Amino acid sequence: MNYLGKMTMRKMLLFFVFLCSINVLAQSEEPFPLPDSLAGRLREFRKNDFARAEALDAAIRFYQEIDKVQDAKGYIRELSSLAYNLKDNYYIALSDYYLAIYDLDRMDYEEALYRIHKALECVEMLPTSGRTERLTARLYMALGNYYSDKRMLSESYDAIQKGLEVAGENDREIYLKLINNLGNVYLKGGNSLEAERLYRESLKLHKSLPYRNMATIYAENQNYDTALIYTDSALMYAISSYDTMSVNHFKGVICLGKGDIAQASLYYDKCLRGVHSCSDAFFNSVVYQNSAYISMEKGDFEQAMALIDTAIMIADEMNNVHRKLDCLRLKAILLSEMNDLENSLKCMAEYSFTRDSILVKQDNERFLTHVHDYETGIIEQRYEAEKAIAKQRQGFILVIAVLIVFFTVMTTSIFIRNRRQKELLLKQELDLKNREVTSDSIGKIQSNEMLNDIIEKLTEMEVRTDKDMLPSVIRDLKTLVHNDAKKDFDLHFVQIHPDFYQKLLADYPRLTQNELRLCALIKSNLSVKEIAAINGISAESVKTARKRLRKSLNLTGEDESLLSFLSKY
């Protein structure tokens, strides 16, 4: 390989190492091991219930906190399926939130935005509680990150502000994370003063994180000197030995970007002294790989080979083919620099084989992802269908309830009305019977008085043998008969027409008792002879009385008969 080719390859490799290392906590292909406590909870709670959902949530949060959300992929999908099986809106929204974080991490922005909005819609249906508000704030934080990645800074600002309103200062962890993210928005928008103010406020959560955020942005823009200033501040506030190592690693990456191999070597030497106490195998592998590159650039090929072999060994132990692929590429170049072309070609062949296996695995994963999405889609459709059926059932129950209430009210109303009518009829019947009893009593008294008077007259005739008293006795007997007929008629007429006399007197108050009785007889459609028999008078007298009645009723013409007139009452 000629000198020009070697220099071109070195430049390409330097650029590749810088891009791969710009984020020290890059995602590994295989899941990072869970702490024993979380792994124990998952083994303990295996049933598809809420305890399992809580254990899955704790495991996913662990991966999220160490920026390895890709490693939580299987747990997120299990939580999503479990949430729909449990039909619990909170866990449905929570699983959609984690899916959105997963999609944001792999830059599937369209799917992430869909998940966020779907989760927000689901959260709106939940009752207000601490965990609901916390989830809502996290969703707005994710939405802000989406807009920030898309350089939609105004929308990102609005989403973060909504998250701050929901979280409040009661939830300090999320509140300060939102403040830090808001600082990122201001920094991207060119307002470094406001960004610095917000970063200083977020120092209450993690003093090293805001400075590292600013250093990362400046490094990505190749403003390496400013990035180093911020990494110095981050190193000052590093809490743990791991934080110190990660900042030194980041400073080494920046120096590699500058092309300052000597300074980068100093920082990576510090990292190498601490890798034995670091449990993050992925981080250790990156440190060994970059240290191998630095040794190669310094011409120490033997040291470089030992370091790169260690990096490959760690990648194999993790079963992380992506990490191994990066190391194999560097080892092939190193062997080429050592003029060991045979082993370099073998290494390249192993690199090609590993890359092909990754592609096959990615194809299988894409297939499994499609299967999972299909199954999840079916579960979601079933869940939505069940919700629609439940809604229809609720509507049907509501209609039935309304109808029951309506019929109950109507039945009660009819019952009350019928009871009132019965009570009124009973009262009327009672009043009628009272009138009958009263009328009968009075009639009997009058009849008895008249009979006693006739008996006295007959007794007197028997003593005096006075024939002149006989016509008087006969007249009294006729009167008694006629009075009984009148009383019987009046009694039956009032039963049939209880309001007749009252209505008639309202229009014609000057009518006499005889005229009123005559009106009743005419209304009953009795003939002149029948009226004469009841009243004990002649037919001519009845005709004369009818003429007088017409005058009293102001019926001057002959067009309307008394019967048709009185039928109105």
Side-chain angles (χ1 to χ4, degrees):
M1 183 179 292
N2 58 36
Y3 177 76
L4 181 61
K6 289 184 178 180
M7 290 300 296
T8 303
M9 182 174 290
R10 284 191 176 199
K11 288 182 180 179
M12 291 176 63
L13 182 59
L14 178 63
F15 181 69
F16 167 77
V17 170
F18 175 73
L19 289 180
C20 291
S21 304
I22 194 68
N23 185 357
V24 63
L25 297 177
Q27 303 301 311
S28 58
E29 177 67 17
E30 297 302 322
F32 188 83
L34 282 170
D36 292 340
S37 58
L38 292 177
R41 285 184 64 184
L42 288 173
R43 286 193 299 270
E44 180 181 359
F45 303 114
R46 295 182 179 276
K47 294 181 180 179
N48 290 334
D49 55 12
F50 288 101
R52 178 68 178 178
E54 291 175 2
L56 289 169
D57 179 26
I60 297 167
R61 274 191 284 110
F62 166 77
Y63 284 116
Q64 187 182 13
E65 288 169 2
I66 63 172
D67 294 331
K68 292 183 178 294
V69 71
Q70 293 294 323
D71 290 352
K73 174 174 58 178
Y75 297 129
I76 294 172
R77 288 176 176 172
E78 183 183 350
L79 180 62
S80 176
S81 299
L82 179 58
Y84 280 102
N85 288 331
L86 294 174
K87 300 176 183 178
D88 185 88
N89 284 332
Y90 172 77
Y91 281 109
I92 289 173
L94 182 64
S95 61
D96 279 327
Y97 161 71
Y98 285 135
L99 285 168
I101 296 298
Y102 173 80
D103 291 328
L104 282 175
D105 192 69
R106 61 194 184 101
M107 293 182 291
D108 189 351
Y109 294 112
E110 184 177 350
E111 186 67 18
L113 185 62
Y114 164 74
R115 294 288 184 183
I116 292 170
H117 284 301
K118 183 182 175 186
L120 285 171
E121 290 175 1
C122 198
V123 164
E124 290 178 357
M125 298 186 293
L126 295 172
T128 302
S129 65
R131 70 172 189 171
T132 302
E133 290 178 351
R134 182 177 177 84
L135 176 56
T136 304
R138 292 163 77 185
L139 283 166
Y140 280 121
M141 183 161 57
L143 186 61
N145 291 339
Y146 163 81
Y147 286 126
S148 179
D149 289 349
K150 301 290 284 186
R151 306 295 297 185
M152 301 168 66
L153 301 184
S154 177
E155 290 81 357
S156 179
Y157 174 85
D158 291 340
I160 293 172
Q161 286 292 346
K162 288 180 180 178
L164 289 170
E165 291 174 6
V166 175
E169 294 200 18
N170 294 326
D171 196 333
R172 293 292 293 167
E173 181 183 353
I174 292 182
Y175 181 82
L176 292 174
K177 284 182 179 178
L178 286 163
I179 289 293
N180 184 75
N181 290 358
L182 191 60
N184 293 339
V185 172
Y186 275 108
L187 189 63
K188 288 182 179 180
N191 191 344
S192 58
L193 292 176
E194 183 62 18
E196 184 177 359
R197 184 190 70 79
L198 292 168
Y199 284 141
R200 290 186 183 279
E201 184 176 351
S202 66
L203 288 175
K204 300 171 186 176
L205 176 66
H206 193 308
K207 293 182 181 295
S208 181
L209 179 62
Y211 291 121
R212 287 174 57 188
N213 287 341
M214 295 180 69
T216 301
I217 293 172
Y218 282 110
E220 287 176 346
N221 293 318
Q222 299 183 2
N223 192 344
Y224 301 119
D225 292 334
T226 305
L228 285 172
I229 293 173
Y230 281 109
T231 55
D232 288 338
S233 298
L235 188 61
M236 184 186 306
Y237 292 110
I239 298 173
S240 63
S241 59
Y242 177 78
D243 289 337
T244 302
M245 286 179 56
S246 64
V247 174
N248 281 324
H249 166 80
F250 192 42
K251 294 179 78 172
V253 171
I254 294 172
C255 290
L256 285 175
K258 290 177 61 178
D260 189 347
I261 301 297
Q263 192 64 33
S265 177
L266 293 176
Y267 291 124
Y268 273 105
D269 285 343
K270 293 180 181 179
C271 292
L272 287 172
R273 287 194 291 270
V275 292
H276 300 292
S277 61
C278 179
S279 60
D280 189 342
F282 184 87
F283 173 80
N284 293 341
S285 176
V286 172
V287 169
Y288 279 114
Q289 178 190 356
N290 289 359
S291 298
Y293 172 77
I294 292 170
S295 296
M296 183 182 70
E297 288 295 308
K298 291 166 61 177
D300 191 350
F301 297 130
E302 184 178 351
Q303 176 71 13
M305 184 60 66
L307 291 169
I308 196 62
D309 283 341
T310 303
I312 292 173
M313 180 184 68
I314 295 173
D316 283 334
E317 289 175 354
M318 290 191 301
N319 195 24
N320 189 324
V321 290
H322 280 277
R323 184 91 283 283
K324 183 177 180 180
L325 195 67
D326 295 339
C327 295
L328 286 172
R329 183 188 292 112
L330 178 58
K331 185 175 181 180
I333 296 172
L334 176 59
L335 290 168
S336 176
E337 290 286 325
M338 296 170 63
N339 293 319
D340 189 351
L341 298 180
E342 182 180 355
N343 286 325
S344 178
L345 290 173
K346 289 180 180 179
C347 190
M348 289 300 298
E350 185 179 0
Y351 170 84
S352 299
F353 175 78
T354 305
R355 184 189 59 188
D356 292 341
S357 67
I358 290 175
L359 294 175
V360 172
K361 189 173 183 179
Q362 287 177 343
D363 289 340
N364 291 336
E365 284 193 348
R366 276 194 292 269
F367 174 75
L368 292 175
T369 300
H370 288 316
V371 171
H372 174 268
D373 291 342
Y374 174 74
E375 292 176 349
T376 304
I378 292 176
I379 294 174
E380 289 178 359
Q381 290 175 3
R382 188 185 306 145
Y383 176 70
E384 294 296 332
E386 288 178 357
K387 280 206 312 186
I389 293 172
K391 200 170 185 180
Q392 291 177 352
R393 188 181 295 115
Q394 289 176 354
F396 177 74
I397 292 172
L398 181 61
V399 171
I400 294 297
V402 170
L403 290 174
I404 289 173
V405 171
F406 174 75
F407 283 119
T408 302
V409 171
M410 290 297 296
T411 304
T412 304
S413 176
I414 293 171
F415 174 75
I416 293 173
R417 185 169 65 249
N418 291 339
R419 188 174 66 180
R420 288 177 179 174
Q421 289 178 351
K422 288 180 179 179
E423 289 176 352
L424 181 61
L425 290 174
L426 287 173
K427 186 178 178 182
Q428 291 176 349
E429 185 177 352
L430 183 60
D431 290 341
L432 181 60
K433 289 184 177 180
N434 288 335
R435 287 197 298 270
E436 288 179 0
V437 171
T438 303
S439 178
D440 288 344
S441 299
I442 294 172
K444 287 180 179 179
I445 292 171
Q446 291 176 348
S447 297
N448 290 336
E449 289 177 352
M450 188 171 288
L451 284 173
N452 288 332
D453 187 43
I454 292 172
I455 291 169
E456 289 178 359
K457 288 181 179 180
L458 290 173
T459 304
E460 188 178 349
M461 284 177 61
E462 183 180 5
V463 174
R464 296 173 54 186
T465 62
D466 189 355
K467 295 182 180 180
D468 294 334
M469 294 182 66
L470 187 58
S472 176
V473 173
I474 293 170
R475 186 170 58 254
D476 289 341
L477 288 172
K478 288 182 178 180
T479 301
L480 180 60
V481 172
H482 293 151
N483 286 342
D484 288 340
K486 290 177 183 178
K487 284 189 290 184
D488 290 341
F489 172 79
D490 290 341
L491 182 61
H492 292 296
F493 184 81
V494 169
Q495 288 180 348
I496 299 172
H497 308 288
D499 300 326
F500 176 75
Y501 292 128
Q502 185 179 356
K503 292 179 180 179
L504 193 59
L505 284 172
D507 293 339
Y508 303 98
R510 294 185 178 180
L511 291 175
T512 65
Q513 288 296 324
N514 289 332
E515 287 176 332
L516 287 171
R517 181 175 287 108
L518 180 58
C519 288
L521 292 167
I522 295 172
K523 183 176 177 61
S524 299
N525 199 20
L526 297 178
S527 64
V528 173
K529 289 182 179 180
E530 290 170 336
I531 295 173
I534 291 173
N535 287 332
I537 58 177
S538 64
E540 291 298 326
S541 297
V542 173
K543 292 179 181 179
T544 302
R546 286 172 62 94
K547 291 179 181 179
R548 291 174 183 166
L549 180 61
R550 290 183 68 87
K551 291 180 181 180
S552 298
L553 297 175
N554 298 322
L555 296 175
T556 55
E558 297 294 332
D559 295 336
E560 187 174 12
S561 65
L562 283 169
L563 178 60
S564 61
F565 176 78
L566 293 172
S567 62
K568 300 174 184 177
Y569 292 91

